[in-house]
Amino acid sequence: MTKPHADVTPDAAEPATAWAERADEAARSVTHLFGRRLFFLPGTHIAATARPSGRIGNLRRPWHYWWQAHYLDCLVDAGFRELGRAGRGPEKFDGASRPSAGQLASRLVTGIRLRNFLTYVNHYYDDMAWLALSTLRLERLAEESRRPSPRRQERIRKSLTLQFDSASTDDLGGGTFWSTRRDFKNTPATAPVALYYARTGNTAKAQALLDWLDSRLFDPARGLYLDGIRVRNTGETVLEDAIYTYNQGPVLGALLELGGTANLERAATVVRAVAEHLTLPAAVTNGTVPPESKVLRCDGTGDGGLFTGILTRYLALAANDRRLPADVRTTAAGLVAGTAGALWAGHRLIAGGEPLARHGRAGEPVFSSDPQRPASDTYPAGAAVELSTQLQAWMALEAAASVSAASAAAGKDGN
C-alpha cells in the first residue's frame, strides 16, 4: 500500500528519516506519473518524457537517452535506501505489493536497450557515460541485494568501454569527444568518462582525462570548469567558455574517486567556487530552510532541467568525504540541504481533477524547475511537466537524504 503524503520537517531528532521520507515521496511521484511499460512489454520499464501525454505522443517526442540514465541513477538511490538506510529497516519505497526500486531499475535497463534499437550505444559519449555510471551503481545494488546479473553487466561494460576508448584520443592533447561527429571535446563527456574509468580501476586513463581538463578547461579565476573546445571545419579551435552546474559535478566525483593531495585540493576548490559563483539566495522556504540559505542555480527545463540535480549528487559525495576540510564538507552539505529544502518547500500537490491525475495520483507532489519559485508558478494545474525537472528534484532530495544519513551515522560513531 502506498504511504500517504507526509509533510515532515527535519529536526534535530530524526533529520535523516525525514529526508528519506521526502526522497521516497519524490520516487513515488516520478515512477507513478512517468513510469510505464515499453510497448506494453512485460519485464520492461521506461519513463515518459512529459505529462500529461499519451503513449503515441511520447513516442513522437525526441528520445532522451540520458534522461533515462539519470532516472536509473535515482532508482538505484531509492534501492539502496530500501536495504535499510537513514535509521530505518529494509522497506520498499512504494509499498510491499509493488516492485522494488531495484526491480524497476533492472526493467529500465531492458527498456532502454529496446527503445534504443537493441543497443546501448548512442551518438553521444556523455549520454553513454551517464548510463555506464548508473549501471555500475545498479550492479553494486544487485550485489548487496544478492541478485547479481554479471553477464548483462559485463556486456554493458564491455560495449560502453570500447566507445569511451575510441572517443578518448590524443586530438587536442587529450580529452573525450562529445559525439560521433568528433568536432567537440568537452567537460560534459570527459568528466563522466573519467569518473567511469576511475570506478572501473583504470586510474591512469582517468587521471589523464582530469589532467587534460585542468590544463585546457579549468578557469583559475573562478575555480570552475568551462564547457569545451570545438573544432571548426577549417581546423580552427574555439573555446566554449560557458560554465554549467552539471559539468562541475562529475569532475568533482572523479577527483574524489581518484583521491591524492592534488585531486582533493582541486575538489575543495570546486566546492568553494560553486558556492561563490553558482548560487542564489533561497526564496521559497516555508520554514523548511533558513531564509539566509543559498540554493544552487538552476537552468530551466529540457536538458537544463537535470543540470543542478546532477551537481547535488556529487556535492553529497563531497559533504560525506572526510578527506576534505571541514569547512568544505559543511559548504557542500549546506548547498545540498538548501537546494533540496527549497525544492521541497515549493512543491504542490496534484489535484484530483487536473490532467496529471490521469497518469499519476492525486495528492502526490510536483516539483518546481526553479528553487526560487514554487511549483504553483512554474507548473500550475494544466501545465505540461517534464521528466527532467522532476528527476532533478528527486536527485536533490536523495542527495539530502544521503548527507543526513551519513551525518547521523557519524554522530552515532562519535558517541
Side-chain angles (χ1 to χ4, degrees):
M1 180 177 177
T2 302
K3 295 181 180 178
H5 175 80
D7 191 8
V8 182
T9 299
D11 56 30
E14 292 184 328
T17 302
W19 281 117
E21 278 295 323
R22 293 174 174 190
D24 275 347
E25 289 220 32
R28 289 191 289 270
S29 178
V30 172
T31 55
H32 294 169
L33 188 58
F34 296 93
R36 57 187 174 84
R37 287 182 178 181
L38 177 65
F39 306 128
F40 301 98
L41 293 172
T44 67
H45 189 73
I46 206 76
T49 57
R51 292 296 195 195
S53 62
R55 292 179 181 271
I56 300 301
N58 267 292
L59 287 174
R60 289 173 177 168
R61 295 177 188 271
W63 165 225
H64 291 291
Y65 175 113
W66 80 294
W67 296 15
Q68 306 293 331
H70 286 290
Y71 181 31
L72 179 60
D73 240 348
C74 287
L75 286 170
V76 172
D77 288 334
F80 277 116
R81 284 188 296 97
E82 285 183 328
L83 299 180
R85 297 290 189 273
R88 305 187 307 179
E91 181 181 14
K92 287 185 179 181
F93 84 97
D94 199 16
S97 63
R98 302 277 296 175
S100 69
Q103 288 172 321
L104 287 180
S106 181
R107 295 172 189 176
L108 177 58
V109 173
T110 300
I112 291 171
R113 178 177 176 271
L114 293 176
R115 178 63 180 82
N116 200 54
F117 305 105
L118 304 180
T119 180
Y120 296 109
V121 175
N122 190 285
H123 292 300
Y124 294 92
Y125 296 107
D126 59 334
D127 288 16
M128 290 185 279
W130 294 122
L131 184 64
L133 290 169
S134 59
T135 54
L136 273 179
R137 296 186 66 234
L138 177 58
E139 184 176 5
R140 289 198 296 274
L141 173 63
E143 289 169 354
E144 287 200 31
S145 305
R146 298 180 182 179
R147 294 177 178 177
S149 53
R151 282 186 292 181
R152 182 170 75 169
Q153 295 304 126
E154 185 178 345
R155 288 196 303 270
I156 295 172
R157 193 158 50 243
K158 181 178 179 180
S159 173
L160 296 182
T161 300
L162 289 173
Q163 296 299 314
F164 305 146
D165 289 347
S166 71
S168 302
T169 69
D170 292 333
D171 300 273
L172 302 178
T176 305
F177 282 113
W178 180 50
S179 74
T180 54
R181 292 183 62 179
R182 295 179 175 258
D183 60 356
F184 192 29
K185 283 195 167 181
N186 63 5
T187 304
T190 304
V193 168
L195 178 55
Y196 171 79
Y197 280 139
R199 287 182 175 174
T200 53
N202 199 333
T203 56
K205 279 190 174 181
Q207 189 63 59
L209 292 176
L210 281 181
D211 291 344
W212 182 82
L213 286 169
D214 286 340
S215 65
R216 300 300 299 271
L217 293 177
F218 182 71
D219 178 3
R222 288 176 286 185
L224 298 169
Y225 290 85
L226 308 177
D227 194 40
I229 301 172
R230 195 174 299 278
V231 183
R232 290 181 173 169
N233 293 336
T234 60
E236 177 189 7
T237 60
V238 178
L239 176 66
E240 301 283 355
D241 61 358
I243 289 179
Y244 296 110
T245 51
Y246 83 126
N247 282 346
Q248 318 312 314
V251 177
L252 184 57
L255 291 166
L256 296 174
E257 189 73 30
L258 288 171
T261 301
N263 286 334
L264 293 176
E265 288 178 352
R266 179 52 56 85
T269 296
V270 171
V271 172
R272 293 182 177 121
V274 165
E276 181 178 358
H277 298 291
L278 300 180
T279 56
L280 299 166
V284 180
T285 59
N286 287 355
T288 307
V289 293
E292 67 274 12
S293 294
K294 287 184 174 181
V295 297
L296 293 164
R297 175 189 98 190
C298 286
D299 290 280
T301 58
D303 284 346
L306 281 169
F307 286 5
T308 298
I310 292 168
L311 178 54
T312 63
R313 177 179 298 283
Y314 295 100
L315 283 173
L317 295 182
N320 294 340
D321 196 322
R322 292 183 172 272
R323 297 171 300 172
L324 295 177
D327 71 293
V328 172
R329 300 198 308 272
T330 299
T331 296
L335 293 174
V336 169
T339 305
L343 287 168
W344 177 262
H347 79 267
R348 74 169 181 85
L349 303 181
I350 298 173
E354 68 176 292
L356 286 180
R358 296 199 301 268
H359 301 284
R361 298 179 183 177
E364 290 184 327
V366 171
F367 298 96
S368 178
S369 58
D370 181 353
Q372 288 198 307
R373 299 171 60 200
S376 57
D377 286 351
T378 59
Y379 288 127
V385 178
E386 286 189 301
L387 171 67
S388 58
T389 59
Q390 303 311 289
L391 289 177
Q392 174 170 263
W394 183 4
M395 275 188 269
L397 291 165
E398 291 287 359
S402 169
V403 172
S404 293
S407 177
K412 289 181 180 179
D413 291 343
N415 291 335

